[in-house]
Amino acid sequence: MAEIAVIGCGQAGLVVATAFASKGHHVTGIDLDRRKIEACRMGVAPIDEPGLDELLTQGLASGRLTFLDQYPEYPERIPAEFVFIAVGTPTSPSGASDLHALKSAITRMAPALRDDAIVVNKSTVPVGTCDEMVRLLRRSGAPKATVVSNPEFLQEGDAIHNFIEPDRIVLGSNDPDSLERVAGLYEDFGATVVQCDVRTAEMIKYASNAFLAMKVSFINEMASICEVLGADVSGVAHGMGMDRRIGAQFLRAGIGWGGSCFPKDVSALEYAASLHGVRAQLLRGVQETNRDQRRQVLRKLRGVLGRLETARVVVLGASFKPNTSDVRESPALEVASLLRLGGAEVRVVDPHVVPESVPAQFPYLDVTGDLMAAAQDADALVLATEWPEFIDLPLEDLAGVMRRPLIVDGRNVLDDRAVRAAGFIYRCIGRPNAEGGGVTLPEDRADERLDGRITDWPTVERAERADRERIPSRNGRQAAALASD
Ligand code: UGA
């Protein structure tokens, strides 16, 4: 069994540390954040990840998992042959990756590395960074150090499973011996190990995240086209996804992607390309489509309510996706913020996110766990994060307390018939409105439509105007009757 150290006990690092310990290795987790280390030593994961507390407790009990809140001082050494780095690399204002934490970790650990130690990098870093790391390590007191890039593909909420049963393991190094030794660590994972040069490994990580983000933006763009042509994007995604060359995952249309990875990685890749004179137009488009998806919600609300200035809107969800309390780059908070800037009174409801974790950039957003209180006298609900609690909403009760019964389903997860039956006007992403907004274009006039020459056919806007005129301001039941007319 190997001796492993993991520098950085955050979202990825703690999963790596506990999972390797569960496989019988001796693991030392190192993080300079004392409170984090204290929590780890007590068996309480400082991050919200299903199954992590259990793995942590097991590791501590086995005696194979220990934690340090500082680097050993020379002549003491980090007790490891494999030193994994999993520190944060956030985006700086320029769009570049902020490598401060990484550089600081390298310079501090270098004098404490064993002579046979291999540094294995899991942090997402710009292509070429591992080469820099070798130079920095050697200058900082580790003349024999080698570096292997081992990008991580963990999804928050499913990270332990992703780590233990990966689709593939990517290892890149310019040192074949180090590559072989790190590959040995993964021998019993049952996954193909892709071995390549270090820059290719670094690029695989960016390209993978950019591709997934592109898939989501692609289906979102298709959703906008579906809306005006009267098709249903869910059916389109289903039909497309059955083609194995395309694949069914990451084709869920909605208000777009967020989180701590896609936004930072797509923008860092575009930035890196631009530094070398490459105009990454597709990456730019992927991000623009994503920003537009947030605005779709405002357009849909205005389509029914007319004005946002006097509206009270409840945003369902604060986290960037369900089953995590992570609000970094959350589409839900961005939508809430846009609504607030558009003049609406906004309340955000989330089953797990507490008000203290809402970033300082949104001081004006109220977050609560009390759905019914938030919905009192509201004009609209916007489903922004598909928590199970929101897929199974108490529709009748909500319609009873709201000022106007309107739901914009920003994740296409609600049963539209049930929603309408409870008295709501229902809007979603990329599906025709059953109230008459769906547009069927006669085959023989399709070309004219694309030219913009047909003007006399029913539009979504026209249906929305009709809704607006029909909605009474205070009576949910009456609206139900009208909506189902
Ligand atoms: C993502 C990648 O999926 C991981 O492989 C990668 O390791 C990780 O980033 C990282 O670089 O660390 P994660 O940020 O946990 O993982 O989130 P995802 O599950 O990929 O979702 C990202 C965003 O896309 C979410 O806002 C989600 O709601 C959105 N999404 C996803 C859609 O809007 N539609 C979809 O069909 C899928």
Side-chain angles (χ1 to χ4, degrees):
M1 286 295 141
E3 287 180 302
I4 294 172
V6 180
I7 313 288
C9 296
Q11 205 85 39
L14 206 49
V15 171
V16 173
T18 54
F20 271 132
S22 77
K23 286 195 166 269
H25 300 292
H26 287 270
V27 183
T28 310
I30 303 178
D31 199 301
L32 301 184
D33 182 337
R34 284 221 171 110
R35 283 173 43 197
K36 215 184 252 181
I37 291 300
E38 270 164 31
C40 290
R41 283 177 179 151
M42 281 161 40
V44 181
I47 53 160
D48 194 10
E49 183 63 46
L52 191 54
D53 279 338
E54 289 78 1
L55 270 195
L56 188 56
T57 316
Q58 280 168 24
L60 293 169
S62 71
R64 289 192 302 272
L65 181 62
T66 47
F67 291 95
L68 297 177
D69 60 10
Q70 55 191 0
Y71 296 99
E73 297 262 347
Y74 186 83
E76 260 189 73
R77 303 292 176 118
I78 297 173
E81 175 191 356
F82 301 99
V83 180
F84 284 79
I85 302 191
V87 298
T89 52
T91 316
S92 59
S94 66
S97 301
D98 178 346
L99 299 178
H100 274 93
L102 183 85
K103 286 184 180 160
S104 152
I106 294 279
T107 47
R108 282 165 186 247
M109 76 158 95
L113 286 178
R114 274 172 28 182
D115 284 349
D116 64 343
I118 301 173
V119 174
V120 188
N121 182 48
K122 282 208 169 279
S123 299
T124 302
V125 292
V127 176
T129 302
C130 285
D131 286 338
E132 281 294 324
M133 283 167 67
V134 175
R135 283 192 281 272
L136 190 55
L137 280 164
R138 294 188 175 172
R139 277 205 310 270
S140 311
K144 295 188 182 154
T146 57
V147 174
V148 172
S149 167
N150 175 204
E152 202 41 75
F153 303 100
L154 308 179
Q155 271 181 291
E156 280 183 36
D158 201 21
I160 291 168
H161 166 247
N162 293 159
F163 186 78
I164 290 174
E165 286 179 48
D167 288 347
R168 80 302 203 187
I169 289 152
V170 174
L171 298 177
S173 181
N174 300 335
D175 183 72
D177 180 51
S178 302
L179 211 51
E180 278 310 317
R181 278 165 62 201
V182 179
L185 266 186
Y186 288 106
E187 236 162 25
D188 62 341
F189 277 60
T192 303
V193 177
V194 178
Q195 298 194 14
C196 52
D197 66 82
V198 72
R199 289 182 182 228
T200 302
E202 291 170 324
M203 185 65 188
I204 287 173
K205 170 68 189 186
Y206 279 104
S208 300
N209 272 1
F211 187 84
L212 291 170
M214 180 193 72
K215 248 185 131 178
V216 179
S217 281
F218 177 86
I219 202 65
N220 282 335
E221 192 162 300
M222 292 304 108
S224 298
I225 301 174
C226 282
E227 271 182 30
V228 293
L229 297 185
D232 179 338
V233 75
S234 304
V236 171
H238 179 66
M240 283 171 66
M242 290 169 81
D243 184 327
R244 272 178 293 177
R245 293 169 304 173
I246 297 173
Q249 295 188 49
F250 281 71
L251 286 179
R252 279 178 285 116
I255 59 169
W257 41 269
S260 65
C261 305
F262 284 4
K264 118 180 132 60
D265 293 350
V266 179
S267 95
L269 188 55
E270 190 204 346
Y271 178 80
S274 74
L275 286 183
H276 297 279
V278 176
R279 281 175 63 222
Q281 297 183 73
L282 185 56
L283 295 183
R284 183 164 300 179
V286 164
Q287 295 168 89
E288 264 166 29
T289 301
N290 198 45
R291 278 191 288 274
D292 279 349
Q293 288 312 111
R294 323 298 202 229
R295 292 189 208 110
Q296 296 267 352
V297 173
L298 274 73
R299 193 181 67 76
K300 285 171 195 289
L301 285 172
R302 285 203 180 101
V304 180
L305 299 174
R307 286 156 50 83
L308 286 179
E309 282 78 1
T310 50
R312 288 182 184 168
V313 183
V314 178
V315 174
L316 302 178
S319 55
F320 84 97
K321 65 176 185 179
N323 305 318
T324 173
S325 54
D326 193 341
V327 293
R328 287 176 288 176
E329 307 272 340
S330 165
L333 291 184
E334 285 176 23
V335 164
S337 182
L338 281 177
L339 285 166
R340 184 76 183 77
L341 295 173
E345 187 189 313
V346 184
R347 296 163 198 165
V348 180
V349 180
D350 193 285
H352 285 261
V353 174
V354 289
E356 299 73 53
S357 51
V358 173
Q361 78 204 77
F362 303 118
Y364 40 78
L365 291 181
D366 281 340
V367 178
T368 167
D370 190 342
L371 169 65
M372 291 311 293
Q376 194 73 41
D377 287 334
D379 295 296
L381 301 177
V382 173
L383 196 155
T385 312
E386 65 277 34
W387 283 100
E389 288 87 338
F390 298 150
I391 297 175
D392 196 13
L393 285 170
L395 292 166
E396 308 262 327
D397 297 347
L398 286 167
V401 300
M402 287 173 68
R403 191 157 63 176
R404 300 189 217 213
L406 163 66
I407 290 186
V408 176
D409 179 359
R411 294 291 176 185
N412 286 357
V413 287
L414 297 176
D415 174 347
D416 58 339
R417 265 174 297 191
V419 174
R420 288 198 176 93
F424 282 89
I425 298 272
Y426 179 69
R427 289 286 176 270
C428 55
I429 309 283
R431 290 191 286 182
N433 300 324
E435 290 96 343
V439 174
T440 314
L441 184 66
E443 276 292 311
D444 56 344
R445 299 184 69 187
D447 292 345
E448 290 178 58
R449 162 64 182 145
L450 291 175
D451 287 349
R453 275 183 277 145
I454 295 185
T455 51
D456 61 340
W457 49 299
T459 63
V460 172
E461 281 70 26
R462 196 177 299 171
E464 287 175 343
R465 209 175 319 129
D467 280 341
R468 224 162 39 229
E469 283 154 13
R470 282 198 318 232
I471 298 185
S473 61
R474 246 191 195 276
N475 191 327
R477 305 279 163 229
Q478 198 181 343
L482 289 168
S484 59
D485 269 349

